[in-house]
Every structure is written in structure tokens, then in C-alpha cells.
Amino acid sequence: MLQDLRRRARYCLLPALCLTLSACVTAPPRVGSANAQWQPSPNHGPRKPNYVILHHTSSGTLERALATLRNPRAEVSSHYLIDRDGRIVQLVDENQRAWHAGESYWGGHSDLNSASIGIELVNNGKEPFAPAQIKALLGLLSDIRSRHKIPRANFLGHADVAPGRKTDPSAFFPWQQLAMSGFGLWCNPPYAPPPESFDTILGLATLGYDVRDPLRAISAFKLHFSPNGDKDMDEADRAMLYCLVGKIMTVGRE
Ligand SMILES: [Zn+2]
């Protein structure tokens, strides 16, 4: 009881003016239904991110990216920003919802901002990603994965979760290298040919893509898994997709 009173007293800005402790206690704000009776439980914690979404900044320098990501009028942010030399800046607590993905969808989930950590890489979109930057990214991803137990299939690009609307990270991004470290799925040739009955769009949807506009989903898949500039799914792409669908059914959720 005494402990409780001391804790409540900490909320009291002007104790001498308080007639009773309970009269001046200002509890932290709660978000919930006005129709519900509040019966607090101690058994809870911060919400857990289950995806990592990767971006490139488009702006050429860390300073310019920071100016945008910290500008309240821009209404855009990320949890982390990594410079070309590997310097990592954190802008938002991992338990908070950064505004990096916008309207988004993956595997039945919309609003990826609510469930993900966003990482921006300083890159203008027309250049290879610096080795020091990728090395720093891999270290950061290992750290995030060890703390949040994010499944390997849930390391995605902005273009994956917003097909047609976003095209980052660019075709220069080394997805295969990331997958070799356990971040994201990949299949190496030779691929087993898919059966004739294998439906490309159904395969993309199984992987997670929003296929309401099939051409946009195909473009996003190609950017991530087969960035050869060709817009169509050839047999090698279909075989890659078939292999990825098989993986997501087995190891993808680990
Ligand atoms: Zn982005």
C-alpha cells in the first residue's frame, strides 16, 4: 500500500495543493473503448515487429535524408538509416510505429508499418550499394533478428509490399547476398521446372504479393528476384517462383 502511494505521488506535480493523493493522480493515457471496464493486467509488453522493410533514400547524402526523415511536415521516417560508409543512425524506437511503408500489403497483412522495422539505405537508386553499407546492414539485421525472432521470409523490400507504387530498393540491391545470411528467401539454379498447372499469379500471391494488379506484382517480383530489365515472367522466372513457393511452405516461417 505504501509503495502504491509513493508511486502515485510521483504523478503529483503540486503535492501541497492536493487534498488527497487520489485527487491529483494523473494516470498515463489509455487507448481503448469507452464502453469497456478497465481491469489492468500486468501480463503485457511492447508490440513485437515481425517484418523488416528495406528502402533506399533516393537522396544522395545522409544529411539530406536526415533532414527529410526528421521533418514533421514530411510525415515520413524510418527506424534506422545507414550511410554508405556503414554508419548507422537510429531515428525511431523499434517499439514505435515509424512511417516508412505507407499503404502496403504482404501475405494477407496490410499496414506493414504497424508490424515492421524500416531501414533506409543512403543511395540515389542509380548506383551499387557500398560494401561497407551492406556489411553494416547485415550486422544490424542479425541484431534485430536475434531480439525479435523475425522469420527469414519476412525480410522484404518496399517495392515488394507496395508493388507499382514503390521501386526501392533498386535492382542494385544484393538480395541474394542477404538471403545467403538468412535474410529473405532465394533459390539458386538449376531450378526444377514447375508443373504446367503451376499458376504464376497464384504463386506470387502465395509468396505474399498483392496481386490485384498482376503486372505490378510481376514487376515487383522481377525487381527482387530477377532484375534483368525484362518485364515478363520467362520459364526461368516461373521456375524460381515455384522453388520460392516451395521454400515458403517449408523453411519460410522459421
Ligand atoms: Zn521506400
Side-chain angles (χ1 to χ4, degrees):
M1 182 63 185
L2 189 61
Q3 253 186 346
D4 189 42
L5 287 174
R6 281 186 188 138
R7 194 170 63 244
R8 293 169 75 187
R10 281 204 292 272
Y11 288 111
C12 201
L13 294 176
L14 297 169
L17 297 179
C18 295
L19 294 175
T20 65
L21 277 172
S22 59
C24 67
V25 167
T26 307
R30 291 181 205 126
V31 177
S33 172
N35 297 324
Q37 182 191 36
W38 181 247
Q39 294 281 357
S41 166
N43 307 322
H44 66 278
R47 287 176 189 264
K48 179 181 130 6
N50 200 38
Y51 293 85
V52 171
I53 309 296
L54 301 171
H55 307 255
H56 72 235
T57 55
S58 296
S59 56
T61 67
L62 179 92
E63 290 70 25
R64 286 184 62 182
L66 274 176
T68 302
L69 296 169
R70 301 185 69 216
N71 180 349
R73 280 177 295 182
E75 296 189 337
V76 62
S77 63
S78 64
H79 293 90
Y80 295 99
L81 172 65
I82 307 180
D83 205 355
R84 292 183 180 86
D85 64 3
R87 177 183 164 200
I88 303 173
V89 177
Q90 182 163 4
L91 299 100
V92 177
D93 189 303
E94 288 180 5
N95 295 326
Q96 295 294 313
R97 182 178 179 273
W99 302 341
H100 58 96
E103 189 181 334
S104 52
Y105 175 95
W106 188 259
H109 302 283
S110 56
D111 184 19
L112 270 295
N113 276 345
S114 290
S116 68
I117 290 174
I119 302 175
E120 290 273 3
L121 302 163
V122 177
N123 182 286
N124 63 17
K126 300 172 190 138
E127 59 181 328
F129 290 82
Q133 187 179 39
I134 297 303
K135 187 176 173 202
L137 172 65
L138 289 171
L140 177 60
L141 293 179
S142 291
D143 172 30
I144 290 171
R145 179 176 56 190
S146 68
R147 286 184 289 106
H148 296 296
K149 309 288 181 280
I150 294 174
R152 73 171 74 178
N154 291 1
F155 293 80
L156 301 163
H158 199 182
D160 291 315
V161 300
R165 195 173 67 79
K166 293 291 176 181
T167 55
D168 66 305
S170 76
F172 287 105
F173 190 72
W175 284 112
Q176 184 177 12
Q177 184 184 350
L178 257 70
M180 295 307 109
S181 298
F183 308 115
L185 298 181
W186 197 263
C187 286
N188 286 312
Y191 310 116
E196 265 188 41
S197 59
F198 178 63
D199 185 297
T200 300
I201 304 307
L202 201 54
L204 290 169
T206 304
L207 208 52
Y209 285 99
D210 177 355
V211 295
R212 286 175 299 174
D213 184 330
L215 292 181
R216 289 181 169 190
I218 287 172
S219 291
F221 173 84
K222 295 272 298 185
L223 178 67
H224 187 136
F225 294 102
S226 179
N228 56 14
D230 183 359
K231 288 190 183 329
D232 299 320
M233 293 285 281
D234 60 25
E235 273 312 297
D237 295 330
R238 273 173 47 80
M240 169 77 145
L241 175 60
Y242 182 63
C243 173
L244 290 167
V245 168
K247 281 204 169 181
I248 206 163
M249 300 287 201
T250 52
V251 300
R253 310 295 179 200
E254 291 173 1

